[in-house]
Amino acid sequence: MITTTQRPLFLIFFAALTAGAGNGISLVAFPWLVLQRNGSAVEASIVAMAGTLPLLVATLIAGAAVDYLGRRRVSMISDALSALSVVAVPVIALIFGADAINVAVLAGLAALGAFFDPAGMTARETMLPEAAQRAGWTLDRSNGVYEAVFNLAYIVGPGIGGLLITTLGGIDTMWVTAGAFALSISAVAVLRLQGAGTPNREHMPQVWAGVVEGLRFVWHSPVLRTLAFVELAATGLYMPMESVLFPKYFTDRNEPAQLGWVLVALSVGGLVGALGYAALSKYANRRTIVLVAVLVLGVSMTVIAFLPPLPVILVLCAVVGLVYGPMAPIYNYVMQTRAPAHLRGRVVGVMGSLAYAAGPLGLIVAGPLADAAGLHVTFLALSLPMLVLGAVAIFLPALRHLDREPESPTAAG
């Protein structure tokens, strides 16, 4: 039973689950609507890219918006605009007919929705310290459960999207997607939490000046700066494996179901890893977890580079998800405890935008290399630097700060 003091924390979890599920359904529904029209994979890719490219800039701005407008308000505005971007699909179809839902319209709406999502995610993450304190939970535990809920949403969402498309059709599925965002708005609307309302803007800089202030804070914090570079490198090397190399490998073999199993293994491993960290965070050494995650990722990617049988790939993917599941909770903890409350949104935004920047950088290299040199060479070209990153991380002194108590007494939560 949820107690009064736990209510804000569980409302944030529910908002993250429903908004994440809405995004998960969109991931399936938008490409499906394109493929349903003419079966063009190129046009489906255009819509998929439209849903990811805005994330880099949007995440950077989102942090400043959270600090300037307030956490609850930004969370609700973000979800409302995301809901509008999906409900526009059936509305346009009703007014102008289904033929009006072309690739340009879908790409524009996907980009619109993606542009608002980071603000909502940033707002919810920045409310966790105060919610954890109200609930009597440690911040590590709260972040672990939050990330597990978020992973669960992205496992369940696409599955629900597939069922909805089968029963309702792609266009009407968007009504349900909008409803998921509405549930998230409702949860945050009744949330009452210190620091979540309208902030004091007396000494608040303008948006771009605020973004620069967030960048400066991250740069001058050794532990945040080091984590940002580790995340940038790890994401840039890992993302192409999931987004390009595995799809190409299984497409070439005409085994789409096997690709689905691989992605499920990664997601379930991440879910279990985040939940495990939530349970064991009191006894866990954060630096050790980070080092093990990066090293295991490098070793697993290197073994996968030799394209072993599917059961081996599935086990390795599950292990990757398991060891990498605690990374996001640890990153959240460091950002939440090192940044002062008035800067928290901008710091989360800066760190998130660096992670989003890494993915496209890796994809620019991996795609052409896979076509020119083959999958085996491309896997090795990504996995060997990951091994080097893991070895270098052992000697990074800033990572030792991960297990030191934060200086701010309010951040310990």
Side-chain angles (χ1 to χ4, degrees), residues 241-251 254-266 310 314 317:
M241 181 182 77
E242 185 174 332
S243 303
V244 174
L245 302 188
F246 276 143
K248 179 171 174 54
Y249 175 63
F250 289 108
T251 300
N254 194 28
E255 295 176 341
Q258 283 79 347
L259 173 61
W261 283 113
V262 166
L263 298 179
V264 167
L266 287 164
L310 179 64
L314 289 175
C317 287

mmCIF file with all atom_site columns, all heavy atoms in Angstrom, residues 241-251 254-266 310 314 317:
data_model
loop_
_atom_site.group_PDB
_atom_site.id
_atom_site.type_symbol
_atom_site.label_atom_id
_atom_site.label_alt_id
_atom_site.label_comp_id
_atom_site.label_asym_id
_atom_site.label_entity_id
_atom_site.label_seq_id
_atom_site.pdbx_PDB_ins_code
_atom_site.Cartn_x
_atom_site.Cartn_y
_atom_site.Cartn_z
_atom_site.occupancy
_atom_site.B_iso_or_equiv
_atom_site.pdbx_formal_charge
_atom_site.auth_seq_id
_atom_site.auth_comp_id
_atom_site.auth_asym_id
_atom_site.auth_atom_id
_atom_site.pdbx_PDB_model_num
ATOM 1   N N   . MET A 1 241 ? 25.813 -0.878  -32.846 1.00 0.00 ? 241 MET A N   1
ATOM 2   C CA  . MET A 1 241 ? 25.614 -2.320  -32.763 1.00 0.00 ? 241 MET A CA  1
ATOM 3   C C   . MET A 1 241 ? 24.124 -2.642  -32.704 1.00 0.00 ? 241 MET A C   1
ATOM 4   O O   . MET A 1 241 ? 23.628 -3.526  -33.422 1.00 0.00 ? 241 MET A O   1
ATOM 5   C CB  . MET A 1 241 ? 26.326 -2.883  -31.529 1.00 0.00 ? 241 MET A CB  1
ATOM 6   C CG  . MET A 1 241 ? 26.196 -4.396  -31.372 1.00 0.00 ? 241 MET A CG  1
ATOM 7   S SD  . MET A 1 241 ? 26.999 -5.039  -29.877 1.00 0.00 ? 241 MET A SD  1
ATOM 8   C CE  . MET A 1 241 ? 25.791 -4.581  -28.620 1.00 0.00 ? 241 MET A CE  1
ATOM 9   N N   . GLU A 1 242 ? 23.390 -1.915  -31.880 1.00 0.00 ? 242 GLU A N   1
ATOM 10  C CA  . GLU A 1 242 ? 21.961 -2.170  -31.695 1.00 0.00 ? 242 GLU A CA  1
ATOM 11  C C   . GLU A 1 242 ? 21.130 -1.628  -32.853 1.00 0.00 ? 242 GLU A C   1
ATOM 12  O O   . GLU A 1 242 ? 20.136 -2.235  -33.252 1.00 0.00 ? 242 GLU A O   1
ATOM 13  C CB  . GLU A 1 242 ? 21.508 -1.536  -30.377 1.00 0.00 ? 242 GLU A CB  1
ATOM 14  C CG  . GLU A 1 242 ? 20.069 -1.826  -30.003 1.00 0.00 ? 242 GLU A CG  1
ATOM 15  C CD  . GLU A 1 242 ? 19.720 -1.290  -28.636 1.00 0.00 ? 242 GLU A CD  1
ATOM 16  O OE1 . GLU A 1 242 ? 20.621 -1.177  -27.784 1.00 0.00 ? 242 GLU A OE1 1
ATOM 17  O OE2 . GLU A 1 242 ? 18.536 -0.978  -28.416 1.00 0.00 ? 242 GLU A OE2 1
ATOM 18  N N   . SER A 1 243 ? 21.543 -0.459  -33.397 1.00 0.00 ? 243 SER A N   1
ATOM 19  C CA  . SER A 1 243 ? 20.718 0.236   -34.386 1.00 0.00 ? 243 SER A CA  1
ATOM 20  C C   . SER A 1 243 ? 20.997 -0.170  -35.828 1.00 0.00 ? 243 SER A C   1
ATOM 21  O O   . SER A 1 243 ? 20.110 -0.065  -36.679 1.00 0.00 ? 243 SER A O   1
ATOM 22  C CB  . SER A 1 243 ? 20.920 1.755   -34.260 1.00 0.00 ? 243 SER A CB  1
ATOM 23  O OG  . SER A 1 243 ? 20.632 2.198   -32.973 1.00 0.00 ? 243 SER A OG  1
ATOM 24  N N   . VAL A 1 244 ? 22.229 -0.601  -36.128 1.00 0.00 ? 244 VAL A N   1
ATOM 25  C CA  . VAL A 1 244 ? 22.616 -0.869  -37.515 1.00 0.00 ? 244 VAL A CA  1
ATOM 26  C C   . VAL A 1 244 ? 23.127 -2.300  -37.702 1.00 0.00 ? 244 VAL A C   1
ATOM 27  O O   . VAL A 1 244 ? 22.647 -3.032  -38.581 1.00 0.00 ? 244 VAL A O   1
ATOM 28  C CB  . VAL A 1 244 ? 23.697 0.131   -37.993 1.00 0.00 ? 244 VAL A CB  1
ATOM 29  C CG1 . VAL A 1 244 ? 24.196 -0.244  -39.379 1.00 0.00 ? 244 VAL A CG1 1
ATOM 30  C CG2 . VAL A 1 244 ? 23.143 1.541   -37.991 1.00 0.00 ? 244 VAL A CG2 1
ATOM 31  N N   . LEU A 1 245 ? 24.096 -2.712  -36.879 1.00 0.00 ? 245 LEU A N   1
ATOM 32  C CA  . LEU A 1 245 ? 24.797 -3.971  -37.147 1.00 0.00 ? 245 LEU A CA  1
ATOM 33  C C   . LEU A 1 245 ? 23.905 -5.189  -36.924 1.00 0.00 ? 245 LEU A C   1
ATOM 34  O O   . LEU A 1 245 ? 23.876 -6.102  -37.768 1.00 0.00 ? 245 LEU A O   1
ATOM 35  C CB  . LEU A 1 245 ? 26.060 -4.064  -36.292 1.00 0.00 ? 245 LEU A CB  1
ATOM 36  C CG  . LEU A 1 245 ? 27.073 -2.925  -36.476 1.00 0.00 ? 245 LEU A CG  1
ATOM 37  C CD1 . LEU A 1 245 ? 28.353 -3.224  -35.733 1.00 0.00 ? 245 LEU A CD1 1
ATOM 38  C CD2 . LEU A 1 245 ? 27.366 -2.684  -37.955 1.00 0.00 ? 245 LEU A CD2 1
ATOM 39  N N   . PHE A 1 246 ? 23.204 -5.245  -35.795 1.00 0.00 ? 246 PHE A N   1
ATOM 40  C CA  . PHE A 1 246 ? 22.301 -6.368  -35.572 1.00 0.00 ? 246 PHE A CA  1
ATOM 41  C C   . PHE A 1 246 ? 21.179 -6.408  -36.615 1.00 0.00 ? 246 PHE A C   1
ATOM 42  O O   . PHE A 1 246 ? 20.891 -7.480  -37.183 1.00 0.00 ? 246 PHE A O   1
ATOM 43  C CB  . PHE A 1 246 ? 21.712 -6.324  -34.160 1.00 0.00 ? 246 PHE A CB  1
ATOM 44  C CG  . PHE A 1 246 ? 22.603 -6.946  -33.117 1.00 0.00 ? 246 PHE A CG  1
ATOM 45  C CD1 . PHE A 1 246 ? 22.700 -6.397  -31.843 1.00 0.00 ? 246 PHE A CD1 1
ATOM 46  C CD2 . PHE A 1 246 ? 23.341 -8.091  -33.396 1.00 0.00 ? 246 PHE A CD2 1
ATOM 47  C CE1 . PHE A 1 246 ? 23.510 -6.968  -30.880 1.00 0.00 ? 246 PHE A CE1 1
ATOM 48  C CE2 . PHE A 1 246 ? 24.161 -8.672  -32.437 1.00 0.00 ? 246 PHE A CE2 1
ATOM 49  C CZ  . PHE A 1 246 ? 24.249 -8.106  -31.177 1.00 0.00 ? 246 PHE A CZ  1
ATOM 50  N N   . PRO A 1 247 ? 20.491 -5.264  -36.889 1.00 0.00 ? 247 PRO A N   1
ATOM 51  C CA  . PRO A 1 247 ? 19.465 -5.317  -37.943 1.00 0.00 ? 247 PRO A CA  1
ATOM 52  C C   . PRO A 1 247 ? 20.018 -5.782  -39.294 1.00 0.00 ? 247 PRO A C   1
ATOM 53  O O   . PRO A 1 247 ? 19.362 -6.572  -39.990 1.00 0.00 ? 247 PRO A O   1
ATOM 54  C CB  . PRO A 1 247 ? 18.969 -3.865  -38.014 1.00 0.00 ? 247 PRO A CB  1
ATOM 55  C CG  . PRO A 1 247 ? 19.178 -3.335  -36.635 1.00 0.00 ? 247 PRO A CG  1
ATOM 56  C CD  . PRO A 1 247 ? 20.449 -3.971  -36.173 1.00 0.00 ? 247 PRO A CD  1
ATOM 57  N N   . LYS A 1 248 ? 21.206 -5.329  -39.666 1.00 0.00 ? 248 LYS A N   1
ATOM 58  C CA  . LYS A 1 248 ? 21.780 -5.752  -40.952 1.00 0.00 ? 248 LYS A CA  1
ATOM 59  C C   . LYS A 1 248 ? 22.109 -7.244  -40.935 1.00 0.00 ? 248 LYS A C   1
ATOM 60  O O   . LYS A 1 248 ? 21.846 -7.967  -41.907 1.00 0.00 ? 248 LYS A O   1
ATOM 61  C CB  . LYS A 1 248 ? 23.035 -4.944  -41.269 1.00 0.00 ? 248 LYS A CB  1
ATOM 62  C CG  . LYS A 1 248 ? 23.690 -5.353  -42.595 1.00 0.00 ? 248 LYS A CG  1
ATOM 63  C CD  . LYS A 1 248 ? 24.797 -4.416  -42.995 1.00 0.00 ? 248 LYS A CD  1
ATOM 64  C CE  . LYS A 1 248 ? 25.525 -4.921  -44.235 1.00 0.00 ? 248 LYS A CE  1
ATOM 65  N NZ  . LYS A 1 248 ? 24.633 -5.199  -45.369 1.00 0.00 ? 248 LYS A NZ  1
ATOM 66  N N   . TYR A 1 249 ? 22.686 -7.721  -39.830 1.00 0.00 ? 249 TYR A N   1
ATOM 67  C CA  . TYR A 1 249 ? 23.061 -9.122  -39.729 1.00 0.00 ? 249 TYR A CA  1
ATOM 68  C C   . TYR A 1 249 ? 21.847 -10.029 -39.897 1.00 0.00 ? 249 TYR A C   1
ATOM 69  O O   . TYR A 1 249 ? 21.852 -10.981 -40.684 1.00 0.00 ? 249 TYR A O   1
ATOM 70  C CB  . TYR A 1 249 ? 23.743 -9.374  -38.380 1.00 0.00 ? 249 TYR A CB  1
ATOM 71  C CG  . TYR A 1 249 ? 24.066 -10.821 -38.094 1.00 0.00 ? 249 TYR A CG  1
ATOM 72  C CD1 . TYR A 1 249 ? 24.955 -11.526 -38.893 1.00 0.00 ? 249 TYR A CD1 1
ATOM 73  C CD2 . TYR A 1 249 ? 23.474 -11.470 -37.016 1.00 0.00 ? 249 TYR A CD2 1
ATOM 74  C CE1 . TYR A 1 249 ? 25.258 -12.863 -38.625 1.00 0.00 ? 249 TYR A CE1 1
ATOM 75  C CE2 . TYR A 1 249 ? 23.767 -12.798 -36.737 1.00 0.00 ? 249 TYR A CE2 1
ATOM 76  C CZ  . TYR A 1 249 ? 24.659 -13.498 -37.550 1.00 0.00 ? 249 TYR A CZ  1
ATOM 77  O OH  . TYR A 1 249 ? 24.948 -14.808 -37.279 1.00 0.00 ? 249 TYR A OH  1
ATOM 78  N N   . PHE A 1 250 ? 20.766 -9.724  -39.163 1.00 0.00 ? 250 PHE A N   1
ATOM 79  C CA  . PHE A 1 250 ? 19.591 -10.598 -39.207 1.00 0.00 ? 250 PHE A CA  1
ATOM 80  C C   . PHE A 1 250 ? 18.753 -10.371 -40.459 1.00 0.00 ? 250 PHE A C   1
ATOM 81  O O   . PHE A 1 250 ? 18.059 -11.280 -40.915 1.00 0.00 ? 250 PHE A O   1
ATOM 82  C CB  . PHE A 1 250 ? 18.759 -10.413 -37.940 1.00 0.00 ? 250 PHE A CB  1
ATOM 83  C CG  . PHE A 1 250 ? 19.412 -10.994 -36.714 1.00 0.00 ? 250 PHE A CG  1
ATOM 84  C CD1 . PHE A 1 250 ? 19.944 -10.165 -35.737 1.00 0.00 ? 250 PHE A CD1 1
ATOM 85  C CD2 . PHE A 1 250 ? 19.511 -12.358 -36.550 1.00 0.00 ? 250 PHE A CD2 1
ATOM 86  C CE1 . PHE A 1 250 ? 20.556 -10.690 -34.620 1.00 0.00 ? 250 PHE A CE1 1
ATOM 87  C CE2 . PHE A 1 250 ? 20.135 -12.904 -35.424 1.00 0.00 ? 250 PHE A CE2 1
ATOM 88  C CZ  . PHE A 1 250 ? 20.660 -12.065 -34.463 1.00 0.00 ? 250 PHE A CZ  1
ATOM 89  N N   . THR A 1 251 ? 18.814 -9.168  -41.028 1.00 0.00 ? 251 THR A N   1
ATOM 90  C CA  . THR A 1 251 ? 18.133 -8.940  -42.307 1.00 0.00 ? 251 THR A CA  1
ATOM 91  C C   . THR A 1 251 ? 18.806 -9.731  -43.417 1.00 0.00 ? 251 THR A C   1
ATOM 92  O O   . THR A 1 251 ? 18.139 -10.347 -44.263 1.00 0.00 ? 251 THR A O   1
ATOM 93  C CB  . THR A 1 251 ? 18.134 -7.438  -42.655 1.00 0.00 ? 251 THR A CB  1
ATOM 94  O OG1 . THR A 1 251 ? 17.447 -6.717  -41.633 1.00 0.00 ? 251 THR A OG1 1
ATOM 95  C CG2 . THR A 1 251 ? 17.423 -7.194  -43.985 1.00 0.00 ? 251 THR A CG2 1
ATOM 96  N N   . ASN A 1 254 ? 17.670 -13.057 -43.232 1.00 0.00 ? 254 ASN A N   1
ATOM 97  C CA  . ASN A 1 254 ? 16.214 -13.164 -43.304 1.00 0.00 ? 254 ASN A CA  1
ATOM 98  C C   . ASN A 1 254 ? 15.642 -13.790 -42.029 1.00 0.00 ? 254 ASN A C   1
ATOM 99  O O   . ASN A 1 254 ? 14.824 -14.707 -42.054 1.00 0.00 ? 254 ASN A O   1
ATOM 100 C CB  . ASN A 1 254 ? 15.786 -13.981 -44.538 1.00 0.00 ? 254 ASN A CB  1
ATOM 101 C CG  . ASN A 1 254 ? 14.298 -13.831 -44.831 1.00 0.00 ? 254 ASN A CG  1
ATOM 102 O OD1 . ASN A 1 254 ? 13.701 -12.805 -44.501 1.00 0.00 ? 254 ASN A OD1 1
ATOM 103 N ND2 . ASN A 1 254 ? 13.701 -14.853 -45.430 1.00 0.00 ? 254 ASN A ND2 1
ATOM 104 N N   . GLU A 1 255 ? 16.077 -13.234 -40.877 1.00 0.00 ? 255 GLU A N   1
ATOM 105 C CA  . GLU A 1 255 ? 15.647 -13.744 -39.575 1.00 0.00 ? 255 GLU A CA  1
ATOM 106 C C   . GLU A 1 255 ? 15.148 -12.592 -38.704 1.00 0.00 ? 255 GLU A C   1
ATOM 107 O O   . GLU A 1 255 ? 15.759 -12.244 -37.681 1.00 0.00 ? 255 GLU A O   1
ATOM 108 C CB  . GLU A 1 255 ? 16.793 -14.471 -38.881 1.00 0.00 ? 255 GLU A CB  1
ATOM 109 C CG  . GLU A 1 255 ? 17.258 -15.736 -39.613 1.00 0.00 ? 255 GLU A CG  1
ATOM 110 C CD  . GLU A 1 255 ? 18.462 -16.381 -38.961 1.00 0.00 ? 255 GLU A CD  1
ATOM 111 O OE1 . GLU A 1 255 ? 19.167 -15.688 -38.175 1.00 0.00 ? 255 GLU A OE1 1
ATOM 112 O OE2 . GLU A 1 255 ? 18.714 -17.570 -39.224 1.00 0.00 ? 255 GLU A OE2 1
ATOM 113 N N   . PRO A 1 256 ? 14.026 -11.970 -39.073 1.00 0.00 ? 256 PRO A N   1
ATOM 114 C CA  . PRO A 1 256 ? 13.542 -10.829 -38.279 1.00 0.00 ? 256 PRO A CA  1
ATOM 115 C C   . PRO A 1 256 ? 13.163 -11.194 -36.850 1.00 0.00 ? 256 PRO A C   1
ATOM 116 O O   . PRO A 1 256 ? 13.342 -10.393 -35.928 1.00 0.00 ? 256 PRO A O   1
ATOM 117 C CB  . PRO A 1 256 ? 12.313 -10.355 -39.073 1.00 0.00 ? 256 PRO A CB  1
ATOM 118 C CG  . PRO A 1 256 ? 11.891 -11.550 -39.869 1.00 0.00 ? 256 PRO A CG  1
ATOM 119 C CD  . PRO A 1 256 ? 13.152 -12.293 -40.200 1.00 0.00 ? 256 PRO A CD  1
ATOM 120 N N   . ALA A 1 257 ? 12.652 -12.406 -36.646 1.00 0.00 ? 257 ALA A N   1
ATOM 121 C CA  . ALA A 1 257 ? 12.255 -12.806 -35.289 1.00 0.00 ? 257 ALA A CA  1
ATOM 122 C C   . ALA A 1 257 ? 13.466 -12.855 -34.365 1.00 0.00 ? 257 ALA A C   1
ATOM 123 O O   . ALA A 1 257 ? 13.391 -12.463 -33.194 1.00 0.00 ? 257 ALA A O   1
ATOM 124 C CB  . ALA A 1 257 ? 11.566 -14.166 -35.327 1.00 0.00 ? 257 ALA A CB  1
ATOM 125 N N   . GLN A 1 258 ? 14.600 -13.318 -34.892 1.00 0.00 ? 258 GLN A N   1
ATOM 126 C CA  . GLN A 1 258 ? 15.821 -13.405 -34.079 1.00 0.00 ? 258 GLN A CA  1
ATOM 127 C C   . GLN A 1 258 ? 16.293 -12.016 -33.656 1.00 0.00 ? 258 GLN A C   1
ATOM 128 O O   . GLN A 1 258 ? 16.805 -11.830 -32.549 1.00 0.00 ? 258 GLN A O   1
ATOM 129 C CB  . GLN A 1 258 ? 16.924 -14.141 -34.848 1.00 0.00 ? 258 GLN A CB  1
ATOM 130 C CG  . GLN A 1 258 ? 16.743 -15.656 -34.886 1.00 0.00 ? 258 GLN A CG  1
ATOM 131 C CD  . GLN A 1 258 ? 15.710 -16.114 -35.913 1.00 0.00 ? 258 GLN A CD  1
ATOM 132 O OE1 . GLN A 1 258 ? 14.952 -15.316 -36.436 1.00 0.00 ? 258 GLN A OE1 1
ATOM 133 N NE2 . GLN A 1 258 ? 15.677 -17.413 -36.193 1.00 0.00 ? 258 GLN A NE2 1
ATOM 134 N N   . LEU A 1 259 ? 16.122 -11.039 -34.546 1.00 0.00 ? 259 LEU A N   1
ATOM 135 C CA  . LEU A 1 259 ? 16.461 -9.661  -34.179 1.00 0.00 ? 259 LEU A CA  1
ATOM 136 C C   . LEU A 1 259 ? 15.604 -9.207  -33.002 1.00 0.00 ? 259 LEU A C   1
ATOM 137 O O   . LEU A 1 259 ? 16.101 -8.561  -32.070 1.00 0.00 ? 259 LEU A O   1
ATOM 138 C CB  . LEU A 1 259 ? 16.256 -8.732  -35.381 1.00 0.00 ? 259 LEU A CB  1
ATOM 139 C CG  . LEU A 1 259 ? 16.408 -7.232  -35.109 1.00 0.00 ? 259 LEU A CG  1
ATOM 140 C CD1 . LEU A 1 259 ? 17.815 -6.914  -34.616 1.00 0.00 ? 259 LEU A CD1 1
ATOM 141 C CD2 . LEU A 1 259 ? 16.072 -6.420  -36.351 1.00 0.00 ? 259 LEU A CD2 1
ATOM 142 N N   . GLY A 1 260 ? 14.322 -9.542  -33.047 1.00 0.00 ? 260 GLY A N   1
ATOM 143 C CA  . GLY A 1 260 ? 13.445 -9.187  -31.938 1.00 0.00 ? 260 GLY A CA  1
ATOM 144 C C   . GLY A 1 260 ? 13.901 -9.795  -30.622 1.00 0.00 ? 260 GLY A C   1
ATOM 145 O O   . GLY A 1 260 ? 13.905 -9.127  -29.588 1.00 0.00 ? 260 GLY A O   1
ATOM 146 N N   . TRP A 1 261 ? 14.327 -11.073 -30.662 1.00 0.00 ? 261 TRP A N   1
ATOM 147 C CA  . TRP A 1 261 ? 14.808 -11.730 -29.442 1.00 0.00 ? 261 TRP A CA  1
ATOM 148 C C   . TRP A 1 261 ? 16.053 -11.042 -28.890 1.00 0.00 ? 261 TRP A C   1
ATOM 149 O O   . TRP A 1 261 ? 16.214 -10.903 -27.672 1.00 0.00 ? 261 TRP A O   1
ATOM 150 C CB  . TRP A 1 261 ? 15.095 -13.198 -29.721 1.00 0.00 ? 261 TRP A CB  1
ATOM 151 C CG  . TRP A 1 261 ? 13.870 -14.053 -29.789 1.00 0.00 ? 261 TRP A CG  1
ATOM 152 C CD1 . TRP A 1 261 ? 13.370 -14.697 -30.870 1.00 0.00 ? 261 TRP A CD1 1
ATOM 153 C CD2 . TRP A 1 261 ? 12.972 -14.331 -28.705 1.00 0.00 ? 261 TRP A CD2 1
ATOM 154 N NE1 . TRP A 1 261 ? 12.211 -15.367 -30.550 1.00 0.00 ? 261 TRP A NE1 1
ATOM 155 C CE2 . TRP A 1 261 ? 11.945 -15.161 -29.220 1.00 0.00 ? 261 TRP A CE2 1
ATOM 156 C CE3 . TRP A 1 261 ? 12.927 -13.960 -27.367 1.00 0.00 ? 261 TRP A CE3 1
ATOM 157 C CZ2 . TRP A 1 261 ? 10.895 -15.615 -28.444 1.00 0.00 ? 261 TRP A CZ2 1
ATOM 158 C CZ3 . TRP A 1 261 ? 11.874 -14.424 -26.573 1.00 0.00 ? 261 TRP A CZ3 1
ATOM 159 C CH2 . TRP A 1 261 ? 10.884 -15.236 -27.114 1.00 0.00 ? 261 TRP A CH2 1
ATOM 160 N N   . VAL A 1 262 ? 16.943 -10.603 -29.773 1.00 0.00 ? 262 VAL A N   1
ATOM 161 C CA  . VAL A 1 262 ? 18.163 -9.914  -29.332 1.00 0.00 ? 262 VAL A CA  1
ATOM 162 C C   . VAL A 1 262 ? 17.807 -8.608  -28.620 1.00 0.00 ? 262 VAL A C   1
ATOM 163 O O   . VAL A 1 262 ? 18.346 -8.296  -27.545 1.00 0.00 ? 262 VAL A O   1
ATOM 164 C CB  . VAL A 1 262 ? 19.093 -9.652  -30.536 1.00 0.00 ? 262 VAL A CB  1
ATOM 165 C CG1 . VAL A 1 262 ? 20.188 -8.651  -30.171 1.00 0.00 ? 262 VAL A CG1 1
ATOM 166 C CG2 . VAL A 1 262 ? 19.727 -10.955 -31.010 1.00 0.00 ? 262 VAL A CG2 1
ATOM 167 N N   . LEU A 1 263 ? 16.893 -7.832  -29.203 1.00 0.00 ? 263 LEU A N   1
ATOM 168 C CA  . LEU A 1 263 ? 16.503 -6.564  -28.592 1.00 0.00 ? 263 LEU A CA  1
ATOM 169 C C   . LEU A 1 263 ? 15.778 -6.787  -27.268 1.00 0.00 ? 263 LEU A C   1
ATOM 170 O O   . LEU A 1 263 ? 15.958 -6.026  -26.315 1.00 0.00 ? 263 LEU A O   1
ATOM 171 C CB  . LEU A 1 263 ? 15.625 -5.771  -29.559 1.00 0.00 ? 263 LEU A CB  1
ATOM 172 C CG  . LEU A 1 263 ? 16.297 -5.379  -30.883 1.00 0.00 ? 263 LEU A CG  1
ATOM 173 C CD1 . LEU A 1 263 ? 15.332 -4.617  -31.779 1.00 0.00 ? 263 LEU A CD1 1
ATOM 174 C CD2 . LEU A 1 263 ? 17.556 -4.552  -30.624 1.00 0.00 ? 263 LEU A CD2 1
ATOM 175 N N   . VAL A 1 264 ? 14.980 -7.849  -27.200 1.00 0.00 ? 264 VAL A N   1
ATOM 176 C CA  . VAL A 1 264 ? 14.311 -8.181  -25.939 1.00 0.00 ? 264 VAL A CA  1
ATOM 177 C C   . VAL A 1 264 ? 15.343 -8.561  -24.873 1.00 0.00 ? 264 VAL A C   1
ATOM 178 O O   . VAL A 1 264 ? 15.235 -8.153  -23.703 1.00 0.00 ? 264 VAL A O   1
ATOM 179 C CB  . VAL A 1 264 ? 13.294 -9.318  -26.142 1.00 0.00 ? 264 VAL A CB  1
ATOM 180 C CG1 . VAL A 1 264 ? 12.832 -9.887  -24.797 1.00 0.00 ? 264 VAL A CG1 1
ATOM 181 C CG2 . VAL A 1 264 ? 12.098 -8.815  -26.937 1.00 0.00 ? 264 VAL A CG2 1
ATOM 182 N N   . ALA A 1 265 ? 16.362 -9.352  -25.253 1.00 0.00 ? 265 ALA A N   1
ATOM 183 C CA  . ALA A 1 265 ? 17.407 -9.746  -24.300 1.00 0.00 ? 265 ALA A CA  1
ATOM 184 C C   . ALA A 1 265 ? 18.126 -8.525  -23.741 1.00 0.00 ? 265 ALA A C   1
ATOM 185 O O   . ALA A 1 265 ? 18.398 -8.451  -22.530 1.00 0.00 ? 265 ALA A O   1
ATOM 186 C CB  . ALA A 1 265 ? 18.400 -10.688 -24.983 1.00 0.00 ? 265 ALA A CB  1
ATOM 187 N N   . LEU A 1 266 ? 18.433 -7.558  -24.591 1.00 0.00 ? 266 LEU A N   1
ATOM 188 C CA  . LEU A 1 266 ? 19.075 -6.326  -24.135 1.00 0.00 ? 266 LEU A CA  1
ATOM 189 C C   . LEU A 1 266 ? 18.177 -5.566  -23.162 1.00 0.00 ? 266 LEU A C   1
ATOM 190 O O   . LEU A 1 266 ? 18.632 -5.100  -22.105 1.00 0.00 ? 266 LEU A O   1
ATOM 191 C CB  . LEU A 1 266 ? 19.416 -5.438  -25.331 1.00 0.00 ? 266 LEU A CB  1
ATOM 192 C CG  . LEU A 1 266 ? 20.586 -5.875  -26.211 1.00 0.00 ? 266 LEU A CG  1
ATOM 193 C CD1 . LEU A 1 266 ? 20.559 -5.137  -27.544 1.00 0.00 ? 266 LEU A CD1 1
ATOM 194 C CD2 . LEU A 1 266 ? 21.916 -5.631  -25.504 1.00 0.00 ? 266 LEU A CD2 1
ATOM 195 N N   . LEU A 1 310 ? 23.210 -17.931 -32.382 1.00 0.00 ? 310 LEU A N   1
ATOM 196 C CA  . LEU A 1 310 ? 22.225 -17.055 -31.751 1.00 0.00 ? 310 LEU A CA  1
ATOM 197 C C   . LEU A 1 310 ? 22.150 -17.203 -30.226 1.00 0.00 ? 310 LEU A C   1
ATOM 198 O O   . LEU A 1 310 ? 22.094 -16.196 -29.518 1.00 0.00 ? 310 LEU A O   1
ATOM 199 C CB  . LEU A 1 310 ? 20.842 -17.291 -32.365 1.00 0.00 ? 310 LEU A CB  1
ATOM 200 C CG  . LEU A 1 310 ? 19.704 -16.448 -31.776 1.00 0.00 ? 310 LEU A CG  1
ATOM 201 C CD1 . LEU A 1 310 ? 19.926 -14.975 -32.038 1.00 0.00 ? 310 LEU A CD1 1
ATOM 202 C CD2 . LEU A 1 310 ? 18.352 -16.906 -32.338 1.00 0.00 ? 310 LEU A CD2 1
ATOM 203 N N   . LEU A 1 314 ? 22.446 -14.105 -27.638 1.00 0.00 ? 314 LEU A N   1
ATOM 204 C CA  . LEU A 1 314 ? 21.383 -13.754 -26.691 1.00 0.00 ? 314 LEU A CA  1
ATOM 205 C C   . LEU A 1 314 ? 21.919 -13.651 -25.262 1.00 0.00 ? 314 LEU A C   1
ATOM 206 O O   . LEU A 1 314 ? 21.577 -12.719 -24.525 1.00 0.00 ? 314 LEU A O   1
ATOM 207 C CB  . LEU A 1 314 ? 20.255 -14.784 -26.761 1.00 0.00 ? 314 LEU A CB  1
ATOM 208 C CG  . LEU A 1 314 ? 19.393 -14.772 -28.025 1.00 0.00 ? 314 LEU A CG  1
ATOM 209 C CD1 . LEU A 1 314 ? 18.393 -15.915 -28.002 1.00 0.00 ? 314 LEU A CD1 1
ATOM 210 C CD2 . LEU A 1 314 ? 18.671 -13.440 -28.179 1.00 0.00 ? 314 LEU A CD2 1
ATOM 211 N N   . CYS A 1 317 ? 24.016 -10.498 -24.955 1.00 0.00 ? 317 CYS A N   1
ATOM 212 C CA  . CYS A 1 317 ? 23.176 -9.303  -24.930 1.00 0.00 ? 317 CYS A CA  1
ATOM 213 C C   . CYS A 1 317 ? 22.490 -9.140  -23.570 1.00 0.00 ? 317 CYS A C   1
ATOM 214 O O   . CYS A 1 317 ? 22.376 -8.025  -23.048 1.00 0.00 ? 317 CYS A O   1
ATOM 215 C CB  . CYS A 1 317 ? 22.142 -9.357  -26.042 1.00 0.00 ? 317 CYS A CB  1
ATOM 216 S SG  . CYS A 1 317 ? 22.831 -9.080  -27.695 1.00 0.00 ? 317 CYS A SG  1
#
